[in-house]
Structures are given as structure tokens and as C-alpha cells.
Amino acid sequence: MRKTILHMDLDTFFVSCERLLDNRLNNRPVLIGGTSDRGVVAACSYEARVYGIHSAMPMKMARLLCPGAVVIRGDSGTYSKFSDMVTEIVKERAPVFEKSSIDEFYVDITGMDRFVQTSYLWSRELREKILKETNLPISFGLSTSKTVSKVGTGEAKPNNHIEIPEGNEMPFLAPLSIKKIPMVGDKTYHKLRSMGVEKIRTVQEMPMELMERVLGKNGTVIWKKAQGIDNTPVVAWNERKSISSERTFEKDTTDVTKLRSLLVAMAENLCYQLRNGNKLTACVTVKIRYSDFQTYTKQKRIPYTSLDHTLIAVVLDLFEKMYERRVLIRLIGVCFSYLVGGTYQIRLFEDSEKLIKLYQAMDLVRNRYGQSAVKRAIGMGSTTIGGMNPFNGKTPIIPAH
């Protein structure tokens, strides 16, 4: 049985949330991001895109392109709440769904036609329920794979829907730009354009071996996606999915400086793993086990993020609030949960372009020389924090000394 995959994406999500809070923003060019000239654009309305503005563009440049745009700093907590509202609606009705980012969902509705009139009708009803209960515009694509459905959603926008029936995948994809295929970033796109490849149809007609010769394994994957072939499953989303790190001391301790240093090192490592796995967390938990084996935990829900400086501050704050007994500690731990897919650019509206580039540079150094190659001074004493990344199965590089 061929799969039936629904892809749903909330249109200009941050902007739509702001417009629900202030309808004076309707039909106006809106920029959300860092409000200073050093900030960057996290999201923009369709009215702003007409001027050539896009996400990750320096705010200074965006203002020059569209002087009349309304600039809003944004509130990640608000966006997280709206995202949770939509998630609850999807969870209530969908048999199997994957929340791939704060504003994006995949639903596997294979075999649904046995229980409803049509899968397409069911998908439209789900969309209408989301529209009615949240007033957030949302688009969807329905087809036989994640790739074709996601591309379909992009073509259906804004605030619309499309079905690509079985057998129509290749004709649907053929006239579209090669850049529409997920995985084709700027570098790959420019390489393909230099070969004269502009439309997906050209890749469909090329031998798979040629794509592999030019782009390696990625070339094979892109070729298959161009044919509408994608067997990637919908991974059932579990809001309690988590990543954690713990340390049991050989000798129980009350050395607060040592404890803080270790917590920072743990949080820093977990943040790096989140970003490498394209994940964001919305809940931080700190755990303490005393020498008498009494164990305490304290947690805090936060807006989605994967940035060190934000999460480290939460970890240390939870530790200070919880560590009241001042007796010997046997174990401490940090856990990030309520994970969703996404990158640290989700917080572009709170951080400057300079800070974002700093994180990108640090991760680049860690990926090349090992995750201990760049560390905060406070965590320098904790040299053995690390391990296999649970999201991609990679073992960190251990740099030579």
C-alpha cells in the first residue's frame, strides 16, 4: 500500500501570531527580529517579501529596502503558546504525527480512506478546525511521501491546500525550480545551475549515476526526491522526548564552584548536541541527588531554543533555587525535554547577527576539532563531558594533544 502523507505548515507563523494580537498589522509589511541595526530578520510578512526581504537578512538592510515596514522585536514565549495550541488539535485527531518544527507537521494517514470519505476531505477538515480554533492561517500538501507533500505545501501557500494523487508526483514536480527540493541549499543550487540544471524535470531525465558523481551520496538522494521517491517515515512525536547528562561523583561534594562548572559544561554540551541534531528544547530540568540518596528535580518551561547562553542561565537559576540543604551531593544532572525540530535561528529576533554568527563559528570549530575545542571558561575544569549524539549517532572527535 502506498503511503498517504499530509504536510501542514503555519503561514508566516510569527507574523500571523502578531496580527492576532494587533489587527492593525494586517496587510502591512511586517518585520520580526532584532530591532537594532545589528539585528537580523527572523520572519517577515508576504507584503515585506515583495521588497526582496527574507529571513536572516540584516535588519539594517531590510529597513533600507522597505522603510515603511513595521518592525517588531517578537516574543518567543507567545509563539510557543500558539504552536502548542495547534499541536493539541493535531494530536487529538491525527493517528500518527510528527512535529518537525515549531510551525510544521507531518501526519501519516495511510489507510484512512477505510474510515472516512477521503483522506483529502479529512485533511481539509483538520485544517478548517485549526483555522476556526486558532485563527492562524495554515497550508497543506497531501501526497505519497514527505518530500512531495512538503513541496506541495509550498506551492499551495498562502493559506491554501493541494493534493498530488499517486502517479502525479513526477509531473507535479517537473516544472518547478530545483531549489524547491528539500536538501538543495544555496551551494548545491549554484552547483546545479552551473551544470545548466534549473528545473526538476532536468534532474528527472538525468542518470542517477551522474548526480552521484557530481554531488556524492546527496546527489543520489536528490535524484530520488526529484522522482517523487522518499520512503522517510513519519516519526511519532512525543512531547517528552529528551536529552540529558548526569555525573555521579567518586567523592560526594559541596564545592559549589565545581558544581556550577560541571552544570555549565553539561548544558553547553547538550546545547551543541541539540544544534547538531537540529533540535530545540522547551523545558529544562536540573537534578540533584544527595549523599543520603534523596533525589530532587526542578524544571522550567521556556520558549523553544538551543542557545547556550539562554539555557545555561536557566540551568544555574534552577540549581540556585533547589540547592538549599547545603549537604554533600552525590549526583547532579541536566535534562532538556519537549524537543522539536528546528535551528537556533528560531531566536533570531532576540539575538544579533553577530551573536548568531558566533554560534555558527563555534559549532564549525567543534565539528572539525572536537566539541571540547571551544568551551566557556567556567566549564574548563570538566573535561569528560560528551558522548555520542543521540540525534545523528555520531561520536564526537577527540582532538589530539
Side-chain angles (χ1 to χ4, degrees), residues 95-106:
V96 179
F97 81 98
E98 175 183 337
K99 185 172 182 177
S100 57
S101 73
I102 192 172
D103 58 356
E104 192 174 7
F105 303 84
Y106 288 99

Side-chain angles (χ1 to χ4, degrees), residues 167-347:
N168 285 15
E169 298 92 345
M170 287 182 67
F172 165 73
L173 294 170
L176 302 178
S177 167
I178 186 65
K179 203 168 186 179
K180 297 280 187 176
I181 293 182
M183 280 187 64
V184 177
D186 289 339
K187 187 180 291 186
T188 302
Y189 173 70
H190 290 308
K191 191 163 190 175
L192 289 169
R193 289 292 287 116
S194 70
M195 297 167 53
V197 177
E198 182 179 358
K199 304 294 184 183
I200 295 177
R201 178 184 289 108
T202 308
V203 178
Q204 291 175 343
E205 296 169 351
M206 291 170 63
M208 183 176 68
E209 294 75 17
L210 177 58
M211 286 289 288
E212 184 175 11
R213 192 157 59 244
V214 174
L215 298 172
K217 291 182 180 179
N218 282 348
T220 303
V221 175
I222 292 171
W223 184 88
K224 288 181 178 179
K225 288 179 181 289
Q227 318 298 318
I229 301 170
D230 177 12
N231 297 319
T232 308
V234 171
V235 180
W237 184 74
N238 179 356
E239 64 183 351
R240 296 197 178 276
K241 186 168 51 177
S242 63
I243 180 173
S244 62
S245 180
E246 292 185 353
R247 171 66 61 83
T248 301
F249 300 112
E250 291 184 10
K251 184 178 181 181
D252 299 349
T253 182
T254 56
D255 186 339
V256 176
T257 300
K258 177 181 177 180
L259 293 169
R260 289 194 186 113
S261 173
L262 187 55
L263 287 169
V264 168
M266 286 177 172
E268 193 171 25
N269 170 257
L270 293 176
C271 290
Y272 168 67
Q273 292 191 37
L274 286 176
R275 292 195 297 273
N276 257 9
N278 292 318
K279 297 290 183 181
L280 302 166
T281 180
C283 184
V284 178
T285 304
V286 173
K287 177 180 180 181
I288 294 178
R289 178 170 296 153
Y290 292 100
S291 55
D292 58 5
F293 285 89
Q294 289 193 51
T295 304
Y296 299 86
T297 61
K298 196 173 187 67
Q299 70 176 30
K300 183 178 181 180
R301 288 296 300 267
I302 59 171
Y304 289 110
T305 186
S306 62
L307 295 184
D308 300 14
H309 68 279
T310 301
L311 290 165
I312 287 172
V314 176
V315 167
L316 292 177
D317 181 59
L318 289 173
F319 173 70
E320 297 299 336
K321 289 178 178 176
M322 186 168 47
Y323 185 38
E324 296 177 342
R325 294 183 63 192
R326 303 299 173 184
V327 297
L328 290 170
I329 287 180
R330 177 180 176 82
L331 173 149
I332 57 171
V334 176
C335 175
F336 297 154
S337 55
Y338 292 85
L339 307 186
V340 298
T343 70
Y344 47 77
Q345 289 191 354
I346 201 73
R347 285 177 60 89

